[in-house]
Amino acid sequence: MKLRKNPAVLPGLVLLLGLGALGLRLALYRLCVDDKGLLTPGHPLELGAWILTGAAALLAVLSGGGPREKRYPAAEALGELLATVSILLTLPESIHSLVSALEVIRLALSAVACVGLGWAAVSRLRGGRPPMLCYGLACLFFAMNVVCCYRSWVSHPQLQDYLFPLLGALAMMAFAYLRCVPEKFRSRRVVGLIGGFVCMAALAKTQFVPMYLGCGLWMLTNADAPGEPL
């Protein structure tokens, strides 16, 4: 695909689509909520968000087959550092919401994920490749995050309320796993681009805004990274 000749073009387009969807969803929640707190079904703003979602998914699926040959370790490290900082910024909110043993485990795993992703970033900046354990630790945290948040997501009455945060959380988990698998470069690219989009769109209504922002940028900057950790 010609868009992949410049490694910043495709993620940049997906980022713009995600920000567009975020703007539409913010306007939707500001202008189209009735007295019961429910969104007006079939509103043009909602339809616009779905159209942008379809466009981002199409770009991701048609993004090309082979891995990129040239490496940009600074960009990859930047994305991993953004993810690390964003998870750290969610720690106060995680501590505030501790009501079950699962959430205590999630809190502990969030610190572990920060160590793994921070280690990966430092390894890249030093010219090496991080071990797959770095991403395995992050994957454990993202999986536990899905488990802990699922009950609150499904309690929302409308699809717009929980779909984007749910898809974003699943994408973080899948992307961390795919970062460990050498032969899954195409799947990683698709998941990273779609994940970056849904994380941007989810910022309109999610509990962990810093994590979705930072991890969305991590997926976009690392979606098309060549090679894999050793």
Side-chain angles (χ1 to χ4, degrees), residues 59-123:
L59 273 177
V61 171
L62 299 178
S63 59
R68 194 181 72 220
E69 295 181 0
K70 190 174 180 181
R71 179 173 291 280
Y72 297 89
E76 296 172 41
L78 174 61
E80 289 159 351
L81 287 173
L82 288 172
T84 302
V85 172
S86 71
I87 295 172
L88 283 173
L89 290 175
T90 64
L91 289 179
E93 180 67 25
S94 298
I95 294 171
H96 180 72
S97 62
L98 288 178
V99 296
S100 69
L102 288 176
E103 288 171 343
V104 173
I105 295 172
R106 177 178 64 179
L107 179 63
L109 288 176
S110 66
V112 171
C114 289
V115 172
L117 290 172
W119 181 7
V122 172
S123 296

Side-chain angles (χ1 to χ4, degrees), residues 7-227:
V9 172
L10 190 56
L13 286 175
V14 174
L15 176 61
L16 289 176
L17 290 173
L19 294 176
L22 170 61
L24 291 175
R25 297 188 72 234
L26 287 172
L28 187 67
Y29 283 108
R30 183 177 180 85
L31 303 174
C32 309
V33 179
D34 61 20
D35 295 336
K36 297 180 180 179
L38 298 176
L39 294 171
T40 304
H43 193 277
L45 290 173
E46 181 180 10
L47 295 177
W50 293 130
I51 290 172
L52 292 181
T53 302
L58 185 63
L59 273 177
V61 171
L62 299 178
S63 59
R68 194 181 72 220
E69 295 181 0
K70 190 174 180 181
R71 179 173 291 280
Y72 297 89
E76 296 172 41
L78 174 61
E80 289 159 351
L81 287 173
L82 288 172
T84 302
V85 172
S86 71
I87 295 172
L88 283 173
L89 290 175
T90 64
L91 289 179
E93 180 67 25
S94 298
I95 294 171
H96 180 72
S97 62
L98 288 178
V99 296
S100 69
L102 288 176
E103 288 171 343
V104 173
I105 295 172
R106 177 178 64 179
L107 179 63
L109 288 176
S110 66
V112 171
C114 289
V115 172
L117 290 172
W119 181 7
V122 172
S123 296
R124 293 194 187 284
L125 290 174
R126 296 177 64 181
R129 294 186 182 183
M132 65 176 62
L133 177 63
C134 296
Y135 302 109
L137 296 175
C139 187
L140 287 175
F141 163 66
F142 292 132
M144 183 56 67
N145 182 62
V146 172
V147 172
C148 291
C149 293
Y150 183 74
R151 184 165 55 184
S152 65
W153 285 329
V154 297
S155 66
H156 291 287
Q158 292 182 296
L159 189 65
Q160 276 279 354
D161 289 342
Y162 68 87
L163 181 63
F164 287 99
L166 172 59
L167 291 177
L170 290 172
M172 294 175 207
M173 179 181 66
F175 188 77
Y177 167 74
L178 290 169
R179 205 70 178 89
C180 304
V181 186
E183 67 273 13
K184 297 294 184 179
F185 50 82
R186 179 172 172 82
S187 297
R188 185 182 71 240
R189 184 185 306 130
V190 173
V191 170
L193 292 173
I194 294 177
F197 171 87
V198 295
C199 282
M200 295 301 110
L203 295 176
K205 192 176 180 69
T206 183
Q207 180 183 5
F208 300 116
V209 170
M211 186 173 74
Y212 277 82
L213 177 59
C215 290
L217 294 174
W218 167 51
M219 288 187 281
L220 289 175
T221 55
N222 282 253
D224 201 26

